[in-house]
Amino acid sequence: MEKLKLLSLYTGFRKDLTFIEKELEKTVDSSSPVIRQASLLLLRAGGKRIRPIFVILSSQFGQYSKENVAKVAVSLELIHMASLVHDDVIDNSDVRRGFETVKARWNNRIAMYTGDYIFSRALVSIGEIEMSAVHQLLAETMLEICKGEIIQIEFQQKIDQTFRDYLRRIKRKTALLLSSSCELGALVSNASPDVVRKLKRFGYFAGMAFQIVDDILDITSTDEKLGKPAGSDLLNGHLTLPTLYIKDEPEFQPYLVRSFYGTLTDVERGEMLTYIRQSGAIERAQRVSDQYLEKAIAEVEMLPDCEAKKSLLQIAEFLGQRKF
Amino acid sequence: MEKLKLLSLYTGFRKDLTFIEKELEKTVDSSSPVIRQASLLLLRAGGKRIRPIFVILSSQFGQYSKENVAKVAVSLELIHMASLVHDDVIDNSDVRRGFETVKARWNNRIAMYTGDYIFSRALVSIGEIEMSAVHQLLAETMLEICKGEIIQIEFQQKIDQTFRDYLRRIKRKTALLLSSSCELGALVSNASPDVVRKLKRFGYFAGMAFQIVDDILDITSTDEKLGKPAGSDLLNGHLTLPTLYIKDEPEFQPYLVRSFYGTLTDVERGEMLTYIRQSGAIERAQRVSDQYLEKAIAEVEMLPDCEAKKSLLQIAEFLGQRKF
């Protein structure tokens, strides 16, 4: 139902999206059976294709070039996919979006190199664009994402951390790539510097809202809808916004410690999720997400009126309130 | 002794190399203690810095720009380092060049992301060069290297393989990056297309010779000089040129199978190494390396006379006959 709603938001640029989907399939094709199968597994597991969508929509504010836009969109989605493969190794995840992960079907080593391979494919795709600023921006973005991944490990199983630590982490984990998706879409279409800046900021704020909602859903949704156990973040040793609010409450601490040390039973997991849901922490986290969303919307509202502007607003609204 | 000999070959351009060494240290500096320590561990473990040397020497055949050359050299050495960190995960290596590996000091996860981080640093470094051809070439090179890494896993513990399989593997593992080092050094100095092509071919042939010698040394050298157990390639399930020659000999097969299955005792490892050394396979492999070396030299000899030409010839000769 929710997925259908998202798809309906994409109607206006379904053709661009289909083109990009085909390019993605072509791009990961390889003579090595392992690479081909692993990449296709990842592609088919789908996802919301938010990065390509942001690239397409942002490109409408300049001189739109289908080829350039497709190269950037494909590249960004591939970087996102590559980072997921590596994340599944870190989080020891066997299932993502209901599909077996690469590390589960094969092993950590294959997952590592499949990630590297897809990463390189992304560079080849964007390499065809003859704009230095594009390569520099992408390189800087990837660097920050990698730093974020290592910092995430440093903070794993760590109870003593602040909101600032959390915000910095989700910035690198999600907001930066969405921000760069908007910026790059606008850049390759030669949009004006002011428009580029506004879209970049929009992507950043929308990304922060998006990740907070993601972290909320990990607690409020069901195993079935998530395609992985609810509460996975805690089981993997990651404190997120809702749990940061209550981490020092004496009733919650035993659950937290047992989650981090892998000794939580399934019954306790249920009790823990109920506790968090009733603590008020979800609502507080949602309010922070809403604030980011408002900031995102404010940026877009300053842009010239057009179909893409409407779509950006609708999608942002949807991302901040989605149920999956 | 041998190391001193190599250093003496570098005398003519020690200043460039010192500059690049400092840039490398600056580049991997990071506010995250894990990243900083891991990167410095890798940098200090040293290595022969062949990629930077090839970049510097190749750049002498055009209009030399210290900054551009340093950016390319730093970038290529970082890519090489990143691939070593990931390789140590694949090969489960605890020691490299006598130093603890990142995966041993920390773990596979930290090693994976340190590799990603260094990889991204490489892109930022080369991203400052405003030449599209440079980015495209680098992206294509990395893609092939990643493919090679996955193919290497597919061929692990596989006895049924051909010389062609081996040559294709070392091309991706070593020759391509050396070839691209020469090509990029020449490209960023605006050398003529003909010179670029010759240097590219030189790097490729020298790289093939270099890797074959590396694979020979894994059998003929000592644990101490290698900084890891002699015969590691076989213990890790990799057939190399010398062992391809004798893989079907009935006296050798039991050693081979036990190496691949991890049941070889240390005494048997000694017997196996003696067997290979006395089989004539080393000499046959050395001849193949020599042939590649001759091809490499033939390319350079067609280049205009200069100091860099002499150095390239000396280094190539050295790499094909080195004892470490």
Side-chain angles (χ1 to χ4, degrees), chain B residues 246-281:
Chain B
I246 55 170
K247 73 180 173 71
D248 295 323
E249 292 181 6
E251 302 93 319
F252 181 61
Q253 278 244 335
Y255 292 125
L256 183 57
V257 173
R258 263 174 265 160
S259 298
F260 279 13
Y261 287 93
T263 56
L264 197 77
T265 66
D266 216 44
V267 174
E268 287 170 330
R269 179 172 69 101
E271 291 170 7
M272 176 180 77
L273 291 171
T274 307
Y275 181 86
I276 309 174
R277 287 171 195 154
Q278 295 175 345
S279 69

Side-chain angles (χ1 to χ4, degrees), chain A residues 10-198:
Chain A
Y10 291 177
T11 325
F13 35 94
R14 172 139 329 140
K15 254 171 70 182
D16 299 274
L17 210 50
T18 311
F19 180 70
I20 286 164
E21 204 66 34
K22 280 193 189 137
E23 286 296 304
L24 276 170
E25 290 228 8
K26 265 200 273 174
T27 308
V28 298
D29 199 17
S30 164
S31 55
S32 153
V34 175
I35 302 180
R36 194 174 52 247
Q37 286 163 26
S39 308
L40 284 178
L41 182 69
L42 279 162
L43 260 190
R44 300 225 168 104
K48 297 180 250 335
R49 303 283 188 254
I50 294 167
R51 289 145 204 91
I53 298 279
F54 274 16
V55 175
I56 294 172
L57 290 176
S58 298
S59 72
Q60 313 285 328
F61 294 89
Q63 286 91 47
Y64 171 74
S65 140
K66 187 177 169 188
E67 277 68 34
N68 275 355
V69 169
K71 276 167 200 152
V72 172
V74 163
S75 182
L76 287 165
E77 189 66 10
L78 290 177
I79 288 172
H80 172 60
M81 277 169 56
S83 77
L84 292 186
V85 190
H86 281 186
D87 282 352
D88 288 335
V89 177
I90 297 299
D91 290 339
N92 214 1
S93 310
D94 290 334
V95 183
R96 176 181 287 275
R97 297 189 194 123
F99 283 78
E100 213 180 359
T101 60
V102 175
K103 69 137 263 161
R105 168 97 53 111
W106 290 274
N107 55 50
N108 278 349
R109 294 166 181 201
I110 292 283
M112 189 175 71
Y113 281 139
T114 301
D116 288 356
Y117 170 81
I118 295 175
F119 206 43
S120 306
R121 272 278 176 219
L123 295 179
V124 172
S125 175
I126 210 156
E128 291 167 19
I129 292 176
E130 307 209 353
M131 285 174 81
S132 247
V134 167
H135 304 294
Q136 282 178 32
L137 174 58
L138 194 73
E140 297 278 359
T141 306
M142 297 203 300
L143 185 63
E144 288 303 315
I145 293 174
C146 290
K147 268 194 214 166
E149 280 164 338
I150 296 179
I151 292 171
Q152 178 151 323
I153 302 177
E154 290 178 313
F155 274 91
Q156 230 170 344
Q157 266 104 25
K158 206 173 148 183
I159 294 176
D160 182 29
Q161 51 175 297
T162 65
F163 290 101
R164 215 180 161 136
D165 293 327
Y166 168 78
L167 294 176
R168 225 180 286 161
R169 224 158 48 227
I170 66 168
K171 171 184 162 184
R172 289 191 165 123
K173 183 190 169 93
T174 305
L176 267 180
L177 199 57
L178 287 179
S179 172
S180 296
S181 299
C182 293
E183 191 174 0
L184 287 170
L187 265 180
V188 294
S189 312
N190 293 307
S192 75
D194 179 59
V195 167
V196 173
R197 213 188 57 243
K198 288 200 172 74

